[in-house]
Amino acid sequence: MHPPHPEIRLRLARDRAAALRREADGRRLARSVRRTAPPPRRAGAVRRRVGWALVEAGLRSGSLVTARR
């Protein structure tokens, strides 16, 4: 089998390079959006984080934290 014509190889290489550039631009854009946009807050997220911090510190069942009634 004969190797492809040089012009065809050049065209394929240019098309592949353009596709890689588009993919890189898309990834850069997605990364910049993730950095600038704050994470979405769900209801109770702060309470949950504080609760887990207390559990990790071992204070949940101790006398330092009292349950609200």
Side-chain angles (χ1 to χ4, degrees):
M1 180 175 269
H2 297 291
H5 195 274
E7 290 179 14
I8 293 173
R9 292 180 73 176
L10 181 60
R11 176 62 189 216
L12 291 172
R14 286 181 179 164
D15 288 348
R16 177 70 177 140
L20 289 171
R21 282 190 202 99
R22 281 192 304 272
E23 183 179 346
D25 289 341
R27 289 177 186 252
R28 270 193 294 274
L29 178 63
R31 200 172 350 146
S32 68
V33 168
R34 278 194 306 248
R35 266 192 235 136
T36 58
R41 291 273 170 131
R42 292 185 310 234
V46 173
R47 185 184 312 156
R48 191 175 308 114
R49 268 194 265 150
V50 170
W52 278 112
L54 293 173
V55 168
E56 288 175 0
L59 301 176
R60 180 73 53 111
S61 61
S63 61
L64 295 176
V65 177
T66 58
R68 227 183 237 179
R69 292 183 191 204

